[in-house]
Amino acid sequence: MQTNLRGRDMITTQEWTRDEIDTILDVAFDLKRQRALGVPHAYLRDKALAMLFFFTSTRTRGSFEAGMAQLGGHAAFIDSTTTQISHGDTAKEIGEIFGRYYDGIAIRQCDWDFGNRYIRDVAAASRTPVLNMQCDIYHPFQILADLMTIIEKKGDPRGLTINVSWAYASSYQKPISVPQSLILLMTRFGMHVRLTHPPEYKLMPDIVAQAQDNARKHGGSLELLDDFDAGFQGADVVYPKSWGALLTTTDNAESAAIGRRYTDWIADDRRMALAKRDAIYMHCLPADRNIEVADSVIDGEQSVVYDEAENRLHVQKAVMALTMA
Ligand code: CP
C-alpha cells in the first residue's frame, strides 16, 4: 500500500504504478464497506473540488458530487458555458486561479485532439491535483470502477478473457476513451484482452502499442479481432460498446454513415450465449437500448451495469481521499 499520493493528478492510470492502483482499489473497497455500514468517513472536511464540465454527464457528475459530500467536503458544478472561458480565460488561468480556490480540479473535456492537452495544461498551472473526468484519450475513473467490478464479480482478474468490442449506436459518435483506457489497464492485471472492431474503428496506434507492452510485462495478452461473434466466444467478461470512427474521419456525418454499415453489431442473447455461461456483461453507460444492446441483455442476469456505475462513486472517493487530503 502506498501512502504518499497527496497532490497527485489522475489523468491516466498509465501514470500510476501497479502498487498505487492496488492502493486505490484497497481504499475503494474500504470506503464501500464504510458506506454500507453507515460509518461516517469525512476525510475531506472543509475541502472543495471544482468540477468543470465541457460535456454532458449523468454518472460522473452525480458520483463526484455525492462522493465529495460523503467525504465531508463540497463539489462545485461548473458548466464551462457559464464561465469566462469563451471570453479569454485560458487553461493557465483555470489552473492558476481554481488551484488557489479549490483543493482539486476535476475536468471533463472530450473534444478530439484537444481535451487531454487542455487538462494537462490546467494541471501544469495548478497547485492542487487535477482529476480527468474523461478526455478524448482516457476515462481513468470509469476504468478503475470497471476493474473493481470485475474483481468483485470474478475474483482475481489474472487469466480471465475480456472482450472490449465496438457495437453500433445511432445516438452520437462516442469518444474512444473508454476502450483505450480498458485495454491499457486490463493488460496490466494479467487479463487476456480482445479488442474487437470493424476496420474503420481503430484506436490510437500508440495506445495499442502501450497495451501490448503492458501485456508483455504483466503476463496477459492483447488480441485484435474484426469479427463481432468471435469476440464473445468463451469470454469471461464482455464489454461491447460504441465509439466513433475518429481515427478514420473527424466528420460526424461521415462517421455515422460508416457506422450504419454495422447495425448488426448489437449485443443480444445469441451473442451472450457464445460467451462463458457465467460471463458478465459490462457497459459504462449511457447505452443505446435495442440498438447497441438488447434490453434482455442489459436487464438480464449477466448484466452488472448498475454495480459498475455504483463503483464510480467508490473509486473516485478513494482517489480524492488519497490525493486531496
Ligand atoms: N460512464 C460515464 O462517464 O457516464 P456519464 O457520461 O453519464 O458521466
Side-chain angles (χ1 to χ4, degrees):
M1 177 160 204
Q2 295 298 315
T3 53
N4 58 341
L5 300 173
R6 285 201 186 94
R8 285 281 297 277
D9 300 325
M10 172 56 85
I11 296 177
T12 165
T13 55
Q14 281 292 99
E15 291 164 357
W16 289 57
T17 66
R18 259 295 306 258
D19 240 15
E20 290 167 348
I21 292 168
D22 286 343
T23 299
I24 295 170
L25 292 169
D26 193 43
V27 173
F29 279 112
D30 183 48
L31 289 170
K32 186 167 185 175
R33 191 176 308 111
Q34 289 190 52
R35 180 162 164 76
L37 294 172
V39 178
H41 44 273
Y43 300 125
L44 295 181
R45 201 186 298 282
D46 300 329
K47 304 273 184 179
L49 174 75
M51 300 188 305
L52 176 59
F53 280 90
F54 292 82
F55 195 74
T56 50
S57 167
T58 302
R59 281 144 291 272
T60 304
R61 177 187 174 176
S63 52
F64 268 102
E65 201 164 311
M68 266 309 275
Q70 291 160 23
L71 290 168
H74 170 73
F77 171 70
I78 304 164
D79 175 342
S80 65
T81 61
T82 67
T83 69
Q84 299 282 32
I85 289 172
S86 65
H87 297 151
D89 277 338
T90 63
K92 182 177 181 185
E93 267 82 74
I94 297 298
E96 277 282 358
I97 296 166
F98 279 4
R100 295 171 193 225
Y101 299 160
Y102 294 100
D103 303 285
I105 308 172
I107 305 174
R108 169 168 282 193
Q109 170 42 283
C110 304
D111 291 351
W112 180 242
D113 201 23
F114 178 75
N116 185 263
R117 208 157 6 105
Y118 180 83
I119 291 172
R120 289 197 185 279
D121 286 348
V122 173
S126 172
R127 60 181 67 178
T128 54
V130 168
L131 309 179
N132 179 359
M133 297 195 292
Q134 190 177 19
C135 68
D136 50 334
I137 304 176
Y138 307 112
H139 198 350
F141 292 102
Q142 180 63 55
I143 268 53
L144 288 167
D146 294 341
L147 179 59
M148 183 177 183
T149 309
I150 291 170
I151 293 169
E152 278 182 335
K153 304 295 178 188
K154 309 294 289 183
D156 186 347
R158 274 177 303 179
L160 295 179
T161 296
I162 179 170
N163 179 35
V164 177
S165 178
W166 186 85
Y168 175 66
S170 56
S171 55
Y172 72 108
Q173 302 307 302
K174 303 183 186 193
I176 60 175
S177 50
V178 168
Q180 296 207 139
S181 297
L182 275 170
I183 66 169
L184 286 173
L185 189 60
M186 300 317 167
T187 47
R188 292 177 74 192
F189 281 77
M191 295 188 82
H192 298 300
V193 180
R194 287 181 191 152
L195 174 61
T196 311
H197 58 76
E200 300 90 339
Y201 288 89
K202 288 190 173 59
L203 301 183
M204 294 166 70
D206 174 50
I207 297 290
V208 175
Q210 286 180 57
Q212 269 158 344
D213 193 44
N214 289 345
R216 265 193 301 276
K217 286 181 182 147
H218 297 281
S221 62
L222 179 69
E223 184 185 8
L224 307 185
L225 301 175
D226 61 6
D227 179 326
F228 192 51
D229 286 8
F232 281 79
Q233 201 75 48
D236 299 283
V237 179
V238 295
Y239 203 130
K241 80 165 300 293
S242 193
W243 64 83
L246 288 159
L247 275 289
T248 301
T249 175
T250 51
D251 182 85
N252 276 340
E254 195 182 342
S255 186
I258 294 170
R260 285 193 288 275
R261 294 177 201 154
Y262 303 104
T263 54
D264 58 331
W265 285 52
I266 173 172
D268 56 14
D269 292 308
R270 184 181 73 73
R271 269 68 180 242
M272 286 303 295
L274 298 173
K276 287 208 178 124
R277 286 172 68 89
D278 63 350
I280 54 172
Y281 166 84
M282 301 184 76
H283 195 296
C284 54
L285 304 178
D288 286 26
R289 278 176 173 261
N290 299 311
I291 295 173
E292 193 175 357
V293 54
D295 276 347
S296 54
V297 171
I298 198 167
D299 295 327
E301 283 184 0
Q302 289 166 280
S303 172
V304 298
V305 295
Y306 298 122
D307 288 335
E308 183 182 357
E310 177 185 334
N311 285 338
R312 292 289 304 274
L313 177 73
H314 308 301
V315 296
Q316 287 159 198
K317 284 168 68 180
V319 172
M320 290 191 288
L322 287 163
T323 62
M324 290 170 56

